[in-house]
Each structure stands twice: as C-alpha cells, then as structure tokens.
C-alpha cells in the first residue's frame, strides 16, 4: 500500500513543480524570547534611530508600561507645542480661513479682470488717434525719404557736372563738395527765414499804424458828395 502512495506523490511533484524542490518547512517564529529590546543611548554602538523620544514612543506604543518608558516625557515641551501649532496654522488652516483665502483670491482676480477691461477700453478709445498719428508719421517718413532721395540726385547731378560721369563717392573731393553744398543750403534757408521774419515785422508795423491808438478819435471820413 505504501509503494503506490509514494508513486502517486512522486507524480504529483512532477506535475506541480517544474524544478526540484526540497521538502523543507521553516519553524514558526517565536516572539518575545529575548524580552523588550531597549538599547543603551550612551553606548557608542547604539544606532541613531534607537535613540530619542521617537523610539521611546514606539516602544511605549508597542509594549505599553512594560517598556519602562515614562509617558509624561513623550509629550512635547511648550516650545515644541508652539512650533507644532504654528506649523498646523500655516499648513493646516481651518475651513473658515481657507474660505476667506479663496474669497480674497477671487476678489483679486475680479479686480485684475476689471482693471484689464478698463485698460483695453481706454486703449480702444485711443486707437483712432494712434492710427492717425501712425499714418502721419509714416507719411512724414516717406516725405523725408523723397526729399533725401531728391537731394542725393541733385548732388549727384552737380558732381557729374563738376567731375564728369565717373564719380567716386568715397573721394575727398566729392565729400568736400557735399559739405560745401550743405553749407550753402543752410545759408539759403537762414536767409529765407530771415526775410520772412522781416516781412512779418513790416506787415505788423503797417497794421499798427492803421489802427488808432486808445483815446484818439478816428480820422473823419472824407465827404464824397457833390
């Protein structure tokens, strides 16, 4: 009877395990054989995580009063308690504080939105004037460009008239001629402006002579009748 059973177990092993396995069974672990492990904190070989109130709190939580830990020493000191309260106040605010912060954030967002809308409206109101100024500036720039082009063409014509067809714009003679022409143009513009001012002064003086001064009667009108 034993032989068929051994053959059956052997066949089951070949079906269950794809590799050879030993029939080993570990002994159950026995807890509390060595008592409570409480290392000496003054021992230099004691690990850091075996020291301090955190490990004592762990011992007291696991073994209770049998650990020999005084539970009064596990409570934080007044300084530590104030630090804990400050951290909780900063990182764990109350529901009312969180609601107040959210409302303040919403108010700030609404204020910024209104300010942005007001700025957009103000800029849109200025848009026609800005477009007009841009067009005027563009027109003035084109006018200056045309004037500069005409001035260069005039200088080029004078240079060709004076030096011939082959003109070197980098030559000292050409640069000197350009400076002399610019001086002549400035003198002409000053003379024109001076003449305009003199004409304006003469017209103003003539106008003042025709107006009677205060307190003097106006000259009698000439009698043109028969």
């Amino acid at each position: 009877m034993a032989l068929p059973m051994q053959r059956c177990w052997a066949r089951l092993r070949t079906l269950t395990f794809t590799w050879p396995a030993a029939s080993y069974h570990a002994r159950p672990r026995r807890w509390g054989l060595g008592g409570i492990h409480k290392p000496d904190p003054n021992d230099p070989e004691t690990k850091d995580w075996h020291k301090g109130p955190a490990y004592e709190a762990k011992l007291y939580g696991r073994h209770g009063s049998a650990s020999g830990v005084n539970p009064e020493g596990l409570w934080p000191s007044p300084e530590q308690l104030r630090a804990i309260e400050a951290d909780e106040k900063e990182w764990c605010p109350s529901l009312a504080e969180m609601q107040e912060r959210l409302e303040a954030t919403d108010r700030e967002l609404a204020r910024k939105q209104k300010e942005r809308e007001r700025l957009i409206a103000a800029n849109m109101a200025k848009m026609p004037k800005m477009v007009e100024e841009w067009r005027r500036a563009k027109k003035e720039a084109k006018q200056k460009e045309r004037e500069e082009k005409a001035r260069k063409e005039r200088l080029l014509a004078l240079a060709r008239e004076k030096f011939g067809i082959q003109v070197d714009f980098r030559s000292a003679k050409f640069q000197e001629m350009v400076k002399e022409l610019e001086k002549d143009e400035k003198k002409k513009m000053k003379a024109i402006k001076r003449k305009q001012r003199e004409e304006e002064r003469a017209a103003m003086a003539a106008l003042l002579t025709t107006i009677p001064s205060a307190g003097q009667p106006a000259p009698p009108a000439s009698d043109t009748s028969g």
Side-chain angles (χ1 to χ4, degrees), residues 43-100:
D43 189 358
E45 296 184 357
T46 302
K47 305 297 182 182
D48 292 337
W49 57 277
H50 277 160
K51 302 177 184 178
Y55 185 71
E56 291 183 354
K58 184 177 181 181
L59 286 178
Y60 187 81
R62 178 178 293 177
H63 303 287
S65 59
S67 63
V69 177
N70 185 12
E72 295 181 358
L74 301 178
W75 291 95
S77 63
E79 293 79 8
Q80 294 175 347
L81 188 59
R82 284 192 291 268
I84 292 171
E85 290 177 352
D87 291 340
E88 289 181 352
K89 187 176 181 180
E90 181 178 0
W91 299 104
C92 301
S94 62
L95 181 60
E97 292 178 354
M98 289 191 290
Q99 288 178 347
E100 179 62 26

Side-chain angles (χ1 to χ4, degrees), residues 143-185:
Q143 181 65 23
K144 289 181 180 179
E145 185 178 355
R146 286 193 294 267
E147 292 176 356
E148 183 66 20
K149 186 177 180 181
R151 189 181 71 87
K152 288 182 179 179
E153 290 178 354
R154 185 173 67 256
L155 291 175
L156 181 60
L158 292 173
R160 285 177 178 175
E161 182 180 351
K162 187 173 183 179
F163 299 106
I165 299 176
Q166 300 295 333
V167 180
D168 187 6
F169 298 98
R170 295 170 296 180
S171 63
K173 292 182 179 180
F174 181 77
Q175 298 296 332
E176 185 177 357
M177 186 198 70
V178 170
K179 291 181 180 178
E180 291 295 332
L181 290 175
E182 289 179 351
K183 288 181 180 178
D184 293 340
E185 287 184 356

Side-chain angles (χ1 to χ4, degrees), residues 128-145:
K129 184 178 179 181
M130 294 171 65
V131 171
E132 184 64 25
E133 291 178 355
W134 174 78
R135 289 177 178 173
R136 185 173 62 255
K138 189 175 181 181
K139 186 177 180 180
E140 291 177 356
K142 287 184 178 180
Q143 181 65 23
K144 289 181 180 179
E145 185 178 355

Side-chain angles (χ1 to χ4, degrees), residues 202-215:
M204 183 62 67
L207 180 63
L208 292 174
T209 55
T210 58
I211 299 175
S213 59

